Amino acid sequence: MSRREWERRKRQRRKKIIFIRILALFIVLLFGIGMGFGIHEIYRKAKREPVEPPEILEDLLTENPYSRPGEALQKVKNIFVHYTANPGTSAEQNRSYFENLKDTQETSASSHFIIGYDGEIIQCIPLEEIAYAVKGRNYDSISIECCILAEDGKFTDATYQSLLHLTDWLLYEYDLWPKDVLRHYDAGGKPCPLYYVEHEDAWEQFLEDLK
């Protein structure tokens, strides 16, 4: 073998070694970043105070195409807050309305939870399934319907406190934060929940109370 050929092969081996070292370093960096992100997420969840679930009455809707389709909830990115828009109706009555849609077939509607004006919480849909609550967002969100007494849509204090507790618990369970809580209004412009659309300061106060 000539000296020139030997030198050429030596340079090729050197380049190959450098390439392998760079590739190995890149893989190690990627692995380190991934591990770091995972540890950060674990620490992020661990440092939060655990939240005990509120008292919930489970009264699931009958599976049907109009209010409980039984389709899987793929992930949870947001919690949506709604209001019933019919002052004076109870959580039980609104749950019955959702149930009866299987017979009336007048529309498709439901929510995972309904909070009454006395603060009681009824669960209508399992958290593993979608509800028909927010068009275009049913497959990545959980919805909470709130009953009202006042025409302006303002929640009673009992409703408000139960909403805070339920939302706080859901945020903890799904590793979400107050910024991930939205009004129905924020996804499509529907004035729901009415009072908290017309009074931005009241909505901001709700998010602040969650913090």
Side-chain angles (χ1 to χ4, degrees):
M1 181 189 301
S2 68
R3 182 174 180 81
R4 180 177 295 177
E5 180 64 19
W6 181 81
E7 289 287 348
R8 187 182 68 80
R9 292 188 180 184
K10 184 178 178 181
R11 286 194 300 271
Q12 285 179 339
R13 284 196 300 271
R14 189 178 299 160
K15 287 179 181 178
K16 187 180 292 185
I17 291 170
I18 292 172
F19 174 77
I20 292 172
R21 286 177 177 173
I22 291 173
L23 182 61
L25 179 61
F26 180 71
I27 292 171
V28 169
L29 283 173
L30 281 180
F31 180 75
I33 291 170
M35 284 291 292
F37 180 75
I39 292 170
H40 172 72
E41 286 301 303
I42 293 170
Y43 173 73
R44 184 170 174 257
K45 181 78 180 278
K47 73 177 184 177
R48 297 173 74 170
E49 288 293 326
V51 179
E52 290 297 317
E55 184 176 338
I56 298 172
L57 172 63
E58 188 179 275
D59 192 5
L60 302 180
L61 304 176
T62 304
E63 198 164 316
N64 71 90
Y66 294 91
S67 55
R68 186 188 167 189
E71 296 183 47
L73 182 61
Q74 298 167 354
K75 56 186 173 182
V76 178
K77 292 172 60 179
N78 296 104
I79 310 296
F80 280 98
V81 177
H82 309 252
Y83 88 128
T84 56
N86 46 1
T89 57
S90 67
E92 183 72 33
Q93 288 172 317
N94 282 281
R95 186 261 172 209
S96 294
Y97 168 74
F98 290 149
E99 176 69 18
N100 290 336
L101 287 176
K102 71 180 189 301
D103 302 316
T104 65
Q105 302 180 9
E106 61 186 76
T107 188
S108 296
S110 58
S111 66
H112 292 89
F113 299 95
I114 305 172
I115 302 178
Y117 44 74
D118 289 325
E120 70 277 21
I121 303 172
I122 296 178
Q123 182 173 0
C124 302
I125 304 285
L127 292 176
E128 298 77 26
E129 297 179 17
I130 70 163
Y132 284 144
V134 183
K135 188 175 182 180
R137 296 297 313 278
N138 291 326
Y139 289 90
D140 65 1
S141 65
I142 289 172
S143 281
I144 304 170
E145 196 85 38
C146 296
C147 297
I148 55 169
L149 289 176
E151 290 288 343
D152 64 1
K154 187 176 183 180
F155 301 159
T156 65
D157 185 61
T159 301
Y160 190 85
Q161 294 304 322
S162 290
L163 178 62
L164 276 175
H165 191 169
L166 176 60
T167 306
D168 193 27
W169 173 64
L170 290 171
L171 291 179
Y172 178 78
E173 289 297 306
Y174 290 97
D175 197 20
L176 301 173
W177 299 88
K179 65 179 178 59
D180 300 312
V181 181
L182 302 175
R183 300 164 295 182
H184 190 175
Y185 170 79
D186 297 314
K190 183 178 180 178
C192 172
L194 181 64
Y195 185 84
Y196 299 90
V197 171
E198 295 183 344
H199 299 80
E200 289 282 347
D201 57 330
W203 179 251
E204 291 301 323
Q205 184 60 56
F206 173 73
L207 297 180
E208 195 62 34
D209 290 344
L210 273 178
K211 295 177 185 177

